[in-house]
């Protein structure tokens, strides 16, 4: 059950973040790259082997289930954040769960969420909470 006080509004122009993967793989490989993400989509990444930056032509949705990440800084990826134009008509809401924080983005009447439930099902309780909070405020 969702409670109104779980929804905290936070207005920003983008959800860009840099995350370094810290997953320990069962095969012993350490192919953990550093990613520039816009919500759940990869824009670019820095290879773990030589730290070279690869920019994707098409954004790829990343599945964070069973993987671990830490927020970090990366000079090669930070250049893209500064050069990324701010999205118009975009609102971002910070939603606090029991133990985690998620970001719900409203852009051109479409909602997205950073939780794994949204990336798996395409809907989640965090979006529902934001919609209910917005409707209650009108």
């Amino acid at each position: 059950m969702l409670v109104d006080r779980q929804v905290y509004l936070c207005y920003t122009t983008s959800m860009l973040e840099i995350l370094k993967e810290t997953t320990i793989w069962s095969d012993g490989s350490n192919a953990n790259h550093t990613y520039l993400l816009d919500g759940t989509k990869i824009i670019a990444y820095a290879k773990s082997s030589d730290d070279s930056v690869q920019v994707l032509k098409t954004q790829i949705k990343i599945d964070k289930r069973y993987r671990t990440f830490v927020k970090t800084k990366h000079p090669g990826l930070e250049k893209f954040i500064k050069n990324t134009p701010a999205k118009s008509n975009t609102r971002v809401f910070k939603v606090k769960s029991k133990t985690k924080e998620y970001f719900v983005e409203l852009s051109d009447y479409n909602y997205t969420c950073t939780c794994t439930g949204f990336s798996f099902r395409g809907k989640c309780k965090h979006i529902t909470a934001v919609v209910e909070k917005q409707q209650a405020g009108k």
Side-chain angles (χ1 to χ4, degrees), residues 55-121:
V55 180
L56 303 178
K57 291 180 182 176
T58 306
Q59 293 181 359
I60 298 173
K61 199 173 203 180
I62 187 168
D63 186 354
K64 293 183 185 177
R65 290 179 295 167
Y66 313 112
R67 298 167 81 171
T68 56
F69 299 89
V70 294
K71 286 187 179 186
T72 188
K73 293 185 177 189
H74 189 279
L77 295 173
E78 286 176 350
K79 290 189 301 187
F80 293 102
I81 292 176
K82 294 173 185 168
N83 294 333
T84 303
K87 294 179 185 178
S88 61
N89 300 325
T90 300
R91 293 174 68 188
V92 178
F93 305 88
K94 183 163 81 172
V95 180
K96 290 195 176 188
S97 185
K98 288 181 183 175
T99 58
K100 296 185 179 183
E101 288 183 349
Y102 300 103
F103 294 94
V104 174
E105 181 179 306
L106 170 59
S107 180
D108 298 324
Y109 304 105
N110 293 315
Y111 288 92
T112 58
C113 183
T114 57
C115 73
T116 54
F118 178 79
S119 62
F120 184 68
R121 291 184 295 279

Side-chain angles (χ1 to χ4, degrees), residues 117-128:
F118 178 79
S119 62
F120 184 68
R121 291 184 295 279
K123 60 183 178 179
C124 67
K125 62 185 178 182
H126 311 108
I127 291 175
T128 303

Side-chain angles (χ1 to χ4, degrees), residues 132-138:
E132 288 174 358
K133 183 76 171 179
Q134 286 182 309
Q135 290 174 348
K138 288 185 178 180

Side-chain angles (χ1 to χ4, degrees), residues 2-57:
L2 296 174
V3 180
D4 267 356
R5 62 181 158 74
Q6 290 178 313
V7 179
Y8 297 90
L9 302 183
C10 173
Y11 303 104
T12 62
T13 57
S14 180
M15 291 180 18
L16 294 178
E17 63 181 345
I18 299 173
L19 297 178
K20 178 166 180 53
E21 186 162 11
T22 57
T23 306
I24 299 172
W25 299 98
S26 61
D27 63 0
S29 68
N30 285 333
N32 291 333
H33 304 303
T34 303
Y35 299 95
L36 173 61
L37 300 178
D38 185 3
T40 59
K41 295 184 179 174
I42 303 171
I43 297 172
Y45 67 95
K47 289 185 174 182
S48 62
S49 58
D50 60 4
D51 218 28
S52 64
V53 174
Q54 305 293 317
V55 180
L56 303 178
K57 291 180 182 176

